[in-house]
């Protein structure tokens, strides 16, 4: 298999995690290499860039070519895959442009600022014949993959209730504070909460109805409480980035099955059977960005079809966030999800 050559757009905090995964994949003999990165500010290549899940190493020594003008990178480099790590409001335009130029595309989550833009990206993908994948990385976290397996095998019976949470300090690390501008980011609802919305859809399917309440702390939709109504059970999810600036990021879940309660808290999974002693299940631990990008390499190389994280599903997660926003804007009214 020929090595897949990657060009990245944007070199902020999330891009550093992508870079680390590409480096690890290359070191392990997977046929991929990050060869070029473009950022409008060359200072990005020498300064620290942190996000809520990463302290943001400076990492000033890079073995890729650096550009500040995208067209120059595209002209000078022979690339197979473009990895887009820029603010949400730029996802759709850049993805469509890169697909039209004949590149495979990886774009960070959320897929786009609006569901309508998501449909435009899918149309561009279909027209180009290339691959498009969205960085809904929670689908590749081993702990969440274990929960997905329990849902599929029904080892402990059917789901009776579920609760997810994702908590963070305010995202002031964004370029020119774009994350706290809900017109650009969609607020916590679209940017961070979407991880749990997306995984709920992945694990349980599409909800019948939804409701949501939201509070304004620093901007609109900073603290959101969502409910997804399924036949026979309800999923509750909390997304909050309106907490103290000193608050450490945390995420987890608690799912009640017919025969056991499963909890992921403080990085530890515990199964509480209704009969027998609690225990910590064994499953392979691995880096989820590595898992995600390894899967992408297999898709681009033609080894597998994208059944785990197709863009059509990522688009529906944006549509779900938009439906929840309608509810939040109407005092938490219950809204059908269609």
């Amino acid at each position: 298999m020929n090595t897949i050559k990657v060009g990245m757009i944007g070199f902020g905090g999330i891009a550093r995690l992508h870079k680390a995964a590409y480096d690890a994949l290359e070191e392990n003999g997977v046929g991929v290499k990050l060869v070029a990165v473009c950022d409008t500010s060359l200072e990005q290549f020498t300064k620290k860039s942190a996000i809520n899940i990463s302290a943001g190493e400076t990492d000033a020594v890079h073995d890729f070519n650096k550009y500040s003008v995208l067209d120059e990178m595209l002209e000078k480099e022979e690339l197979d895959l473009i990895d887009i790590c820029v603010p949400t409001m730029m996802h759709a335009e850049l993805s469509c442009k890169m697909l039209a130029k004949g590149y495979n595309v990886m774009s960070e989550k959320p897929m786009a600022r609006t569901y309508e833009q998501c449909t435009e990206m899918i149309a561009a993908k279909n027209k180009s014949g290339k691959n498009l994948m969205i960085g809904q990385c929670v689908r590749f976290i081993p702990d969440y993959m274990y929960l997905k397996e329990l849902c599929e095998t029904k080892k402990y019976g059917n789901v009776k209730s579920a609760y997810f949470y994702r908590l963070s300090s305010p995202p002031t690390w964004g370029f020119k504070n774009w994350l706290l501008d809900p017109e650009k980011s969609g607020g916590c609802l679209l940017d961070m909460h979407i991880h749990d919305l997306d995984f709920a859809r992945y694990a349980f399917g599409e909800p019948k109805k939804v409701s949501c309440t939201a509070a304004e702390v620093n901007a609109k939709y900073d603290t959101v409480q969502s409910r997804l109504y399924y036949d026979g059970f309800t999923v509750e999810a909390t997304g909050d980035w309106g907490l103290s600036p000193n608050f450490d990021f945390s995420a987890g879940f608690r799912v009640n099955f017919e025969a056991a309660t499963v909890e992921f808290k403080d990085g530890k999974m515990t199964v509480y059977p209704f009969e027998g002693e609690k225990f910590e299940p064994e499953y392979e631990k691995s880096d989820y960005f590595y898992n995600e990008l390894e899967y992408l390499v297999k898709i681009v190389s033609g080894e597998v079809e994208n059944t785990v994280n197709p863009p059509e599903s990522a688009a529906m997660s944006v549509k779900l966030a938009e439906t929840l926003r309608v509810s939040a804007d109407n005092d938490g009214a219950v809204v059908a999800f269609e």
Side-chain angles (χ1 to χ4, degrees):
M1 181 183 71
N2 294 328
T3 298
I4 294 170
K5 297 178 181 178
V6 182
M8 186 182 293
I9 305 175
F11 201 58
I14 199 70
R16 313 297 173 97
L17 298 176
H18 284 219
K19 176 193 179 296
Y22 285 124
D23 289 348
L25 287 164
E26 183 183 4
E27 290 172 7
N28 289 336
V30 179
V32 66
K33 182 176 180 60
L34 178 63
V35 299
V37 179
C38 178
D39 195 287
T40 54
S41 172
L42 290 174
E43 293 180 358
Q44 279 294 108
F45 296 112
T46 56
K47 75 176 186 178
K48 182 182 291 188
S49 184
I51 54 176
N52 57 2
I53 59 173
S54 170
E57 296 302 318
T58 304
D59 198 13
V61 179
H62 305 304
D63 59 355
F64 53 74
N65 297 324
K66 308 172 190 66
Y67 297 90
S68 60
V69 179
L70 177 57
D71 287 342
E72 181 183 0
M73 182 179 80
L74 300 180
E75 180 182 346
K76 292 184 176 180
E77 304 286 348
E78 293 184 5
L79 303 170
D80 306 297
L81 169 67
I82 301 295
D83 190 331
I84 297 173
C85 296
V86 298
T88 299
M89 62 281 189
M90 301 167 65
H91 289 178
E93 181 180 359
L94 274 175
S95 294
C96 291
K97 180 179 178 180
M98 295 301 103
L99 288 163
K101 287 182 175 290
Y103 298 106
N104 296 285
V105 171
M106 165 73 182
S107 181
E108 255 305 326
K109 63 82 212 163
M111 186 170 180
R113 181 61 185 82
T114 67
Y115 176 67
E116 181 179 2
Q117 290 176 334
C118 294
T119 62
E120 293 170 359
M121 292 166 70
I122 292 169
K125 184 264 294 185
N126 292 338
K127 183 177 180 179
S128 71
K130 294 296 182 178
N131 296 286
L132 169 65
M133 194 167 95
I134 309 303
Q136 295 292 171
C137 59
V138 173
R139 297 189 183 204
F140 298 90
I141 298 177
D143 315 286
Y144 289 78
M145 293 166 68
Y146 175 76
L147 174 59
K148 167 70 169 172
E149 181 181 348
L150 294 182
C151 293
E152 290 180 342
T153 62
K154 297 186 183 295
K155 181 177 181 178
Y156 298 112
N158 295 314
V159 174
K160 302 304 292 181
S161 65
Y163 172 64
F164 294 83
Y165 64 90
R166 198 160 298 266
L167 313 173
S168 174
S169 59
T172 55
W173 52 82
F175 178 70
K176 294 185 178 179
N177 222 20
W178 73 271
L179 282 159
L180 287 177
D181 182 343
E183 293 301 314
K184 294 177 179 178
S185 70
C188 178
L189 174 59
L190 182 64
D191 185 84
M192 190 175 77
H193 192 50
I194 198 169
H195 278 304
D196 292 321
L197 301 178
D198 180 76
F199 188 79
R201 291 185 49 257
Y202 182 51
F204 311 128
E206 307 296 356
K208 305 293 184 182
K209 301 176 293 184
V210 302
S211 63
C212 179
T213 57
E216 180 176 327
V217 181
N218 299 296
K220 213 169 181 183
Y221 313 115
D222 288 325
T223 300
V224 288
Q225 305 278 351
S226 296
R227 282 192 170 196
L228 313 180
Y229 301 93
Y230 291 85
D231 289 336
F233 67 99
T234 300
V235 175
E236 297 186 4
T238 298
D240 195 345
W241 70 20
L243 302 170
S244 165
N246 298 315
F247 188 87
D248 293 329
F249 174 83
S250 65
F253 57 77
R254 182 184 64 254
V255 179
N256 199 37
F257 292 89
E258 290 176 308
T261 300
V262 179
E263 183 178 48
F264 180 57
K265 182 180 180 181
D266 298 330
K268 184 177 75 173
M269 184 79 75
T270 307
V271 176
Y272 300 85
F274 284 16
E275 297 182 4
E277 298 296 318
K278 68 179 181 180
F279 66 94
E280 295 180 24
E282 294 183 0
Y283 50 89
E284 183 178 354
K285 297 284 188 175
S286 53
D287 179 77
Y288 54 96
F289 284 102
Y290 184 102
N291 297 340
E292 179 181 53
L293 295 179
E294 182 182 38
Y295 187 66
L296 175 63
V297 169
K298 290 179 179 179
I299 294 168
V300 173
S301 64
E303 292 182 47
V304 299
E305 293 289 328
N306 186 358
T307 57
V308 174
N309 188 27
E312 292 81 3
S313 183
M316 288 300 291
S317 293
V318 173
K319 185 176 183 180
L320 177 55
E322 289 189 345
T323 306
L324 288 164
R325 186 166 64 241
V326 171
S327 172
D329 289 343
N330 288 275
D331 299 320
V334 176
V335 182
F337 181 58
E338 301 172 333

